[in-house]
Amino acid sequence: MIKKDAIIIGSGQAGNPLALKLSAAGLKTVLIEKSEEMLGGVCVNVGCTPSKTLIASAKAMHKIKTAHKHGISVPDVSIDFEITQKRKNDIVAKSKKGVKKNLEEAENLDLIYGTASFSGEKTISVQNESEEAIEFTAPYIFINVGCRPATPEIDGLKDVKWYDSTGILELQEIPKKLIVIGSGYIGLELGQMYSRFGSEVIIVEKAGQIISNEDADIAENLQEILEEEGLTFHLNSEIKNVKQDDNKITLTFTKNNKQEQIEGTHLLIVTGRKSNADSLHLEKAGIKQDDKGYIKVNQKLETNVDGVYALGDIKGGPQFTHISYNDYVIVSDNILEQKNTSTEGRIIPYTVFTDPQVGRVGLSEKEATEKNLNFTVIKIPGKRITRGLESAETQGLWKAVVDNDSDKILGAAIIGSEGGEMTSIIQMAMKGNISAKDLQTFIFSHPTYSESLNTLFDELE
Ligand SMILES: Cc1cc2nc3c(=O)[nH]c(=O)nc-3n(C[C@H](O)[C@H](O)[C@H](O)COP(=O)(O)OP(=O)(O)OC[C@H]3O[C@@H](n4cnc5c(N)ncnc54)[C@H](O)[C@@H]3O)c2cc1C
Ligand SMILES: NC(=O)c1ccc[n+]([C@@H]2O[C@H](COP(=O)([O-])OP(=O)(O)OC[C@H]3O[C@@H](n4cnc5c(N)ncnc54)[C@H](O)[C@@H]3O)[C@@H](O)[C@H]2O)c1
């Protein structure tokens, strides 16, 4: 049994900075990552970094194809997908190399590869393929094991070649006709990306709207934009079965009680993610989970077992890199600096990286209604954004929810160029108690997208 001060399981978006911070503070720390291939976690290897890199290439292609809006004609646009993929692979490799170097060079920190699981309340067993299991014990244990793609039960799927979010990012060819099951973040981002690379894309979704947690007007606006680009949507659709004959995949589903069939050359299934806690033998430590397998934590990210914490996607709730990173900040503040930081009142921003982006922060209209708040909704269409007009980017919708009693901004959704950056500005206003009325006359430089926040908040009476 090897004794440490801290054990971190999973080299995710919280595990890596936490390992560096604890070890720099003098705590003898071990970071256990399942495989060297996944060092750096989902975001770096198979999530944000590869997807956003390829999405940027697809955007470059789209800009060229639509340059005629500016009177510029470009004949015969073509793509060498091998180069596009290499650019992505190089960026991922570089990010990972940086993570590895930092971890390996840190004092007081051991990085080991293998699958970790609990063998007792404060003991962790690590198994890799070639060696005998190693046992560690420590007063502090941090779980940052994340999630993996969830696959729905679909009749016939086992006989079909299909891709999840990881496999589709590795394709060496551009699909002729891509069927996507699921219209969440990944389905929309990667669906639009392959459409821009030249695929015909059909998205099948069981809910009545895309990005099903968002307000209906936001979902409808984004769907219209994607349809204008050529993507096709089937909502309210229940998958019945899937079949493959050579290169032809046939998906059968019922939509509004009518049976429909579509054909494609490739199939992407992106219907959410599931907890990786099943590898951890949490029962041996008595750590409690919810009914979906996420680890239960309090507002300080403590599990029910003293000294054991869960951070990032594995604790349930919003699954974003920046939330996982903020979990690390909370835990390290409390342990190393004896602060009293918690998740309470944390303002959650996120961005769907379609183009235009959907930037979101705080409460949606739907959530404000559910909370029975006294609020006003203000909206302006993308065509009123001056900077967008000048840049031939007039799509979208800007929307904010404002509390009537306090004049505080409760939340916003911005579909538009750099929608994610725009909602970050609103987030700063929310955090700094800058009121909605202040933003009516706040000085932003002209002509920026930010300047149109004056126009949005001017909609308030
Ligand atoms: C395609 C895609 C695109 C995304 N894009 C974005 C985006 O643009 N913005 C955003 O904010 N979020 C995005 N996300 C979500 C984001 O990647 C996750 O929220 C983020 O990675 C959360 O990380 P985490 O800290 O929970 O751990 P993870 O990054 O999931 O890492 C967990 C690590 O634990 C390891 N592990 C698992 N089990 C064990 C075990 N038993 N023993 C040892 N190690 C183990 C895994 O190998 C993995 O390396 C995207 C996700 C995907 C799939
Ligand atoms: N830009 C970002 O921040 C970003 C990008 C990608 C992923 N992510 C994270 O990864 C998570 C997973 O993304 P995701 O897109 O896989 O999940 P998601 O939960 O966002 O969307 C899944 C979609 O699939 C639909 N669905 C589920 N089962 C279905 C079925 N049987 N048939 C048809 N549709 C079905 C759901 O109704 C939902 O609309 C996200 O929740 C997000 O937290 C974030």
Side-chain angles (χ1 to χ4, degrees):
M1 179 83 66
I2 302 170
K3 285 192 178 151
K4 292 280 177 186
D5 297 319
I7 300 170
I8 299 170
I9 310 174
S11 144
Q13 309 317 307
N16 297 328
L18 188 62
L20 295 173
K21 187 90 179 236
L22 294 179
S23 57
L27 273 73
K28 301 277 177 220
T29 303
V30 59
L31 171 63
I32 307 158
E33 167 51 48
K34 193 150 79 180
S35 67
E36 189 169 353
E37 209 184 15
M38 279 301 288
L39 185 67
V42 167
C43 181
V44 169
N45 294 290
V46 295
C48 329
T49 308
S51 64
K52 268 74 235 181
T53 305
L54 286 178
I55 286 168
S57 300
K59 183 172 180 176
M61 180 113 177
H62 180 73
K63 284 263 178 205
I64 297 166
K65 282 188 188 165
T66 55
H68 56 83
K69 288 192 281 191
H70 299 273
I72 303 165
S73 57
V74 188
D76 301 330
V77 182
S78 65
I79 178 167
D80 184 336
F81 203 49
E82 207 179 309
I83 298 176
T84 313
Q85 281 286 16
K86 183 176 179 311
R87 189 183 86 91
K88 179 261 289 174
N89 292 340
D90 288 349
I91 289 174
V92 170
K94 200 170 168 206
S95 305
K96 191 154 123 164
K97 202 171 154 194
V99 172
K100 193 165 186 242
K101 185 170 181 288
N102 288 341
L103 293 171
E104 284 180 349
E105 286 179 358
E107 270 182 46
N108 301 319
L109 177 61
D110 293 336
L111 169 64
I112 64 165
Y113 298 111
T115 301
S117 61
F118 283 83
S119 49
E121 198 169 87
K122 285 290 177 65
T123 55
I124 298 292
S125 166
V126 185
Q127 184 72 61
N128 70 22
E129 279 159 19
S130 52
E131 289 160 34
E132 291 217 340
I134 314 171
E135 294 254 321
F136 290 94
T137 184
Y140 286 120
I141 299 179
F142 304 94
I143 307 170
N144 181 221
V145 295
C147 292
R148 60 183 185 275
T151 315
E153 297 266 319
I154 300 177
D155 194 19
L157 190 61
K158 67 177 185 358
D159 300 318
V160 171
K161 180 162 172 51
W162 62 276
Y163 297 90
D164 62 15
S165 61
T166 303
I168 201 78
L169 291 169
E170 293 303 314
L171 278 189
Q172 295 307 305
E173 74 283 359
I174 293 165
K176 194 159 183 295
K177 197 165 175 183
L178 175 65
I179 299 173
V180 180
I181 302 181
S183 71
Y185 295 73
I186 305 182
L188 297 181
E189 291 180 1
L190 301 188
Q192 183 187 39
M193 179 186 94
Y194 273 111
S195 163
R196 288 179 162 193
F197 282 141
S199 306
E200 182 182 342
V201 174
I202 308 168
I203 300 189
V204 184
E205 164 62 52
K206 72 173 179 189
Q209 67 170 58
I210 64 170
I211 34 172
S212 49
N213 290 336
E214 300 304 332
D215 288 340
D217 52 355
I218 293 297
E220 280 160 21
N221 190 284
L222 182 64
Q223 185 177 332
E224 275 167 28
I225 293 169
L226 296 172
E227 281 171 342
E228 271 170 33
E229 268 193 36
L231 286 88
T232 306
F233 290 89
H234 293 280
L235 305 181
N236 290 312
S237 298
E238 193 188 328
I239 315 282
K240 289 292 163 201
N241 59 62
V242 62
K243 273 196 327 211
Q244 180 156 24
D245 297 306
D246 297 325
N247 289 332
K248 188 176 83 182
I249 294 170
T250 307
L251 185 78
T252 306
F253 55 94
T254 52
K255 181 174 158 186
N256 305 323
N257 296 323
K258 247 184 67 198
Q259 185 154 309
E260 303 213 15
Q261 256 187 0
I262 50 173
E263 287 174 1
T265 56
H266 292 68
L267 175 65
L268 167 64
I269 302 181
V270 275
T271 50
R273 295 174 66 76
K274 68 187 268 196
S275 157
N276 277 335
D278 46 3
S279 60
L280 290 173
H281 297 307
L282 294 175
E283 69 289 349
K284 294 196 179 160
I287 295 168
K288 288 191 181 146
Q289 293 169 264
D290 68 14
D291 53 4
K292 289 193 171 137
Y294 292 111
I295 297 175
K296 288 187 177 178
V297 290
N298 63 16
Q299 291 179 334
K300 290 184 170 174
L301 306 170
E302 296 160 328
T303 68
N304 60 303
V305 173
D306 196 32
V308 181
Y309 296 72
L311 305 89
D313 290 1
I314 194 63
K315 68 180 194 308
Q319 297 183 342
F320 301 109
T321 286
H322 44 278
I323 296 306
S324 185
Y325 187 84
N326 187 250
D327 288 353
Y328 139 71
V329 173
I330 290 172
V331 164
S332 71
D333 273 3
N334 290 342
I335 292 175
L336 295 179
E337 292 171 41
Q338 289 73 49
K339 288 191 187 166
N340 196 21
T341 316
S342 84
T343 54
E344 199 185 346
R346 170 159 81 167
I347 302 175
I348 309 259
Y350 53 93
T351 301
V352 186
F353 287 91
T354 45
D355 177 31
Q357 297 168 2
V358 185
R360 274 280 292 114
V361 63
L363 297 183
S364 62
E365 181 178 356
K366 200 157 59 178
E367 287 164 338
T369 307
E370 281 160 11
K371 284 180 181 282
N372 221 0
L373 299 177
N374 176 21
F375 65 91
T376 299
V377 173
I378 45 174
K379 291 191 226 183
I380 53 170
K383 58 179 184 287
R384 284 187 61 194
I385 312 298
T386 318
R387 181 74 183 160
L389 279 167
E390 291 157 355
S391 314
E393 288 170 351
T394 53
Q395 294 170 315
L397 176 66
W398 290 31
K399 175 174 179 179
V401 181
V402 179
D403 186 86
N404 289 338
D405 303 321
S406 64
D407 195 34
K408 280 187 181 168
I409 304 162
L410 298 172
I414 295 196
I415 306 183
S417 279
E418 305 307 340
E421 311 291 344
M422 296 312 303
T423 39
S424 302
I425 296 172
I426 296 180
Q427 183 189 352
M428 299 266 283
M430 289 166 72
K431 181 74 185 166
N433 282 326
I434 295 174
S435 74
K437 287 214 169 63
D438 287 335
L439 286 183
Q440 293 178 329
T441 50
F442 203 93
I443 306 176
F444 294 104
S445 60
H446 172 78
T448 56
Y449 281 108
S450 330
E451 180 190 44
S452 289
L453 288 173
N454 294 153
T455 318
L456 173 63
F457 287 96
D458 246 353
E459 291 294 299
L460 282 172
E461 308 248 306

